[in-house]
Amino acid sequence: MALEPERPAAERRPAAQQRSAAQQRPAAEQRPAPVVEGASGALYRKVAADLREAITTGAYGEAGRLPAEGALAEQYGVSRGTVRQALAVLRSDGLVTSRRGTRRVVLGGARVQSFSELLSFTHWAYSMGEEPGGILDSLVRRPADAAEREQLRLEPGAEVYVTVRLRTLSGAPVMVERTVYPPRVGEIVAELPPDVVSHTEVLREHGILFTDADHTIDIVAANAEDARLLGCRRGGPLLRERRRTTDPTGTPVEWSQDRYLPGTVAFSIHNSLATSALSRHAREQD
């Protein structure tokens, strides 16, 4: 691939997608087929997947209430215990919340992405039933600045490869991805077709593994490039996720900054005292 300082983004479909007639019907009219006992996979996961789809397509509205556990059990033909497990999955994903004695309240329709899935936008999109896309806007090779040298552990004077891509879900613009690669990784990326969906998968085939990452999430104002690619207002808020990823040896393989349109994604985090270093140390002292 010939390196260019910048190339205009390809034509993109509008971000607003019309909902189907089925999605526009009231939730009470959308009755899924009962979950069949003995089917492959855990029953609660099937129930959770169906409810997740209904929530993300707006069937219950934002801040709406899900049916009671008994009603859901009858609706899906499963036990209340199965329903409780499914609701626990949705709660851990940040889609619903509840208080003692009340029904679950829908938090919103943004697509939920866990930190374990942040290593691959493409893998996450497929797991949500979405069609991921990647449109290369520019790819340049240049000397690394001080911050890039620090993040990628490069020597003074080292060069980096920098890509800017528009990422889409089912044709709708969602995120601008800016990634800085060290030379050994960037040389592979530079040879890829401009419309390749996943850099991560191709790099894995070349033996470049993405195994660990440090994440920082904050809010930033959209710059001119963000506004052009995402179709948003310059200066408007974007959710930024900065990530440094390393391979199994701890060697950095990318330094990335992803900027998401508001309302397109939510992040979930799972913590466990059983796996934290502090809790292990406390148990060892007992």
Side-chain angles (χ1 to χ4, degrees):
M1 176 190 300
L3 301 183
E4 302 175 3
E6 187 173 17
R7 184 170 63 253
E11 293 183 1
R12 303 179 297 279
R13 290 169 52 188
Q17 302 291 312
Q18 292 186 349
R19 294 193 301 174
S20 66
Q23 293 170 340
Q24 295 172 352
R25 292 199 303 269
E29 297 180 15
Q30 301 180 47
R31 297 189 60 84
V35 178
V36 180
E37 296 285 351
S40 60
L43 291 178
Y44 77 92
R45 293 189 183 277
K46 295 180 181 294
V47 175
D50 191 89
L51 287 173
R52 180 185 291 109
E53 181 179 0
I55 290 170
T56 55
T57 55
Y60 295 102
E62 190 164 343
R65 295 182 183 276
L66 293 181
E69 288 181 1
L72 289 172
E74 181 180 357
Q75 182 175 323
Y76 287 99
V78 297
S79 68
R80 288 198 179 200
T82 297
V83 170
R84 291 191 191 100
Q85 286 181 291
L87 293 175
V89 171
L90 299 179
R91 184 174 58 194
S92 67
D93 284 347
L95 286 176
V96 300
T97 188
S98 63
R99 292 188 300 273
R100 184 180 299 274
T102 65
R103 285 185 291 159
R104 269 67 175 182
V105 177
V106 176
L107 291 176
R111 302 166 179 88
V112 176
Q113 187 172 11
S114 71
F115 274 95
S116 63
E117 294 168 326
L118 276 171
L119 293 177
S120 174
F121 176 91
T122 301
H123 175 76
W124 166 70
Y126 282 135
S127 73
M128 296 293 294
E130 300 275 2
E131 184 67 29
I135 302 170
L136 181 66
D137 187 67
S138 64
L139 191 159
V140 298
R141 184 181 64 199
R142 59 166 173 74
D145 62 29
E148 292 163 349
R149 290 197 302 271
E150 179 181 0
Q151 292 293 335
L152 297 176
R153 300 178 193 165
L154 300 175
E155 297 295 329
E159 291 189 326
V160 290
Y161 290 74
V162 184
T163 63
V164 177
R165 292 203 296 165
L166 173 68
R167 304 310 303 269
T168 62
L169 290 177
S170 300
V174 171
M175 176 259 285
V176 173
E177 175 188 86
R178 295 178 176 87
T179 307
V180 183
Y181 295 105
R184 68 185 182 96
V185 182
E187 290 169 0
I188 300 173
V189 172
E191 297 299 322
L192 300 179
D195 59 348
V196 67
V197 175
S198 175
H199 287 177
T200 304
E201 296 300 322
V202 176
L203 289 171
R204 183 179 293 116
E205 295 173 1
H206 285 78
I208 307 296
L209 303 181
F210 292 62
T211 56
D212 297 278
D214 296 315
H215 307 276
T216 303
I217 295 179
D218 58 6
I219 302 293
V220 295
N223 60 27
E225 187 174 54
D226 297 328
R228 173 174 62 83
L229 293 173
L230 292 171
C232 63
R233 176 178 59 86
R234 183 174 181 178
L238 297 177
L239 182 65
R240 178 174 66 173
E241 186 260 324
R242 287 174 288 176
R243 176 180 66 255
R244 186 184 71 166
T245 311
T246 57
D247 66 13
T249 68
T251 302
V253 290
E254 71 166 1
W255 166 237
S256 186
Q257 178 184 146
D258 301 340
R259 297 187 174 196
Y260 291 85
L261 282 170
T264 59
V265 67
F267 296 108
S268 66
I269 305 172
H270 173 74
N271 292 322
S272 174
L273 289 175
T275 58
S276 71
L278 286 176
S279 63
R280 286 196 299 269
H281 177 73
R283 287 197 301 271
E284 291 171 357
Q285 301 302 312
D286 289 344

